[in-house]
Amino acid sequence: MGNLDFAFVGTGNAFAPGGLCWNGFVADGRYLFEAPPQALQSLNRMGIDANELEAIILSHHHGDHFLGLPFLLLHWKYFGRSRPATIVGPPGTQELAVAIGRSVYPGLFDIVYELRWVELADGESAQVGDLRLTAQRVEHDARLSLNLGYQCELRGRVFAYTGDTGFCEAILEMARTSEVLVAECSSVDEHVPIHLNLIEDIPRLRDVMAPEAHLILTHLTPAVSAATLRNTTIARDLEHYRI
């Protein structure tokens, strides 16, 4: 089945603590989860060709997860993309992306390649290339159309991504069934209902995971350690993790 490869274009939250880039990662070199504002810059720094991306998968519509999309579309338009591309997200993704894109770069959607939009509700699934996605509603910002995490299967390997969320049953189910779980963790011990913390929430996730499963945390600064948790890594900007 081969290794799973996760390349983090950024690991920070909306406030870019300590100068971190905003959160997002590429799975298997082809599937970008989130479109943070600096995504194209980070892809270029990591030597990942944006034209090789098959899909962009968005968890919700907050700016630190979404506002890099116009730059990626701009690259695709002017740097020779010809193969189809897919953008996956919650309801309203296409409408929002087109409104922003046309406002900041007129003509952005005058393109020669096929651009496919897939909007998923809770429990719905989609196949994008080798990647099978199932959307799970998580607890984040109720003012948005929907906040999603994703359960994923890729070449026989199973992983999941929580997106931004407070503690809820959906992420426990992801933890139980995944070989690798990429989880948002925005603080060490602060209690924020729409986010996870390291002291109380993350150990509860780790406890329901299989002993050999891997947990990768984002949104935490490099000064924080997860050494007391089994098979747990705090992701760093522009780093690859092969599992």
Side-chain angles (χ1 to χ4, degrees), residues 114-184:
E114 178 187 354
L115 183 58
R116 177 185 177 217
W117 300 88
V118 177
E119 297 183 355
L120 296 178
D122 181 29
E124 292 185 338
S125 298
Q127 185 78 34
V128 184
D130 293 333
L131 180 66
R132 180 72 175 173
L133 295 160
T134 300
Q136 299 290 331
R137 185 181 68 83
V138 296
E139 302 296 333
H140 189 47
D141 189 341
R143 297 165 297 184
L144 300 177
S145 67
L146 192 61
N147 305 275
L148 296 176
Y150 291 97
Q151 294 180 306
C152 311
E153 183 176 348
L154 178 63
R155 293 181 285 102
R157 302 292 302 273
V158 178
F159 70 95
Y161 171 51
T162 66
D164 283 358
T165 182
F167 200 86
C168 60
E169 180 58 37
I171 63 172
L172 281 172
E173 182 60 24
M174 294 179 199
R176 293 185 188 104
T177 57
S178 297
E179 299 174 66
V180 182
L181 176 66
V182 179
E184 170 264 318

Side-chain angles (χ1 to χ4, degrees), residues 10 32 39 73 119 132 138 153 185 204 207 225 241:
L32 174 62
L73 292 165
E119 297 183 355
R132 180 72 175 173
V138 296
E153 183 176 348
C185 180
R204 293 168 68 189
D207 284 348
S225 171
Y241 302 90

Side-chain angles (χ1 to χ4, degrees), residues 74-116:
L74 193 71
H75 178 95
W76 289 351
K77 177 179 173 66
Y78 287 107
F79 283 83
R81 186 177 188 105
S82 58
R83 60 192 299 187
T86 302
I87 298 175
V88 180
T93 294
Q94 180 178 0
E95 181 181 6
L96 180 61
V98 170
I100 293 173
R102 284 179 173 163
S103 296
V104 297
Y105 290 117
L108 186 62
F109 294 96
D110 299 335
I111 52 178
V112 298
Y113 64 90
E114 178 187 354
L115 183 58
R116 177 185 177 217

Side-chain angles (χ1 to χ4, degrees), residues 29-30 40 43-44 48-55 71-85 113:
R30 296 177 290 160
L40 181 59
L43 291 170
N44 288 338
I48 299 173
D49 184 354
N51 281 347
E52 294 301 312
L53 296 175
E54 293 188 27
F71 301 105
L72 292 161
L73 292 165
L74 193 71
H75 178 95
W76 289 351
K77 177 179 173 66
Y78 287 107
F79 283 83
R81 186 177 188 105
S82 58
R83 60 192 299 187
Y113 64 90

